[in-house]
Amino acid sequence: ASDQMAEQVLEVLEELDSDDILVYSVDGSPQIKTALADLSSPMQAVGAQSPINIGKKAVETAMAKLDGGAYEEEVSVETFLINRENVEMYGTDGWQ
């Protein structure tokens, strides 16, 4: 589920003092990446995409359309996995 749901799951697991459930999510929020960096957290990985790159592509497409230029009608956005091995590369203080 989304990072917002994962945050709730992490809170419940902490209240239950449970360490036998592993948590995965989708989005790549700073809060979830912080949990990934905490080796005692049950957070294991997050599937992410870059909101910054999505925004840039949206503006490029809008500008091309407004100017009557060529643009892709369908755009795929690269996704990636952030886990404990690479969370430092993405940082915990913001989105990608």
Side-chain angles (χ1 to χ4, degrees), residues 27-31 33-34 51-52 82 87 90-96:
D27 283 336
S29 72
Q31 296 85 353
K33 292 187 294 183
T34 298
I52 294 168
I82 302 173
V87 70
Y90 294 101
T92 59
D93 59 345
W95 295 86
Q96 295 67 42

Side-chain angles (χ1 to χ4, degrees), residues 5-64:
M5 292 180 76
E7 287 179 50
Q8 298 299 311
V9 170
L10 292 171
E11 285 181 24
V12 169
L13 292 175
E14 186 176 332
E15 287 176 18
L16 296 174
D17 196 26
S18 175
D19 62 357
D20 60 341
I21 296 175
L22 304 177
V23 180
Y24 297 81
S25 67
V26 176
D27 283 336
S29 72
Q31 296 85 353
I32 290 300
K33 292 187 294 183
T34 298
L36 274 173
D38 178 359
L39 298 179
S40 66
S41 171
M43 192 69 214
Q44 298 297 301
V46 57
Q49 48 192 340
S50 173
I52 294 168
N53 290 336
I54 293 169
K56 286 178 182 178
K57 188 63 177 176
V59 169
E60 288 173 12
T61 302
M63 293 301 296

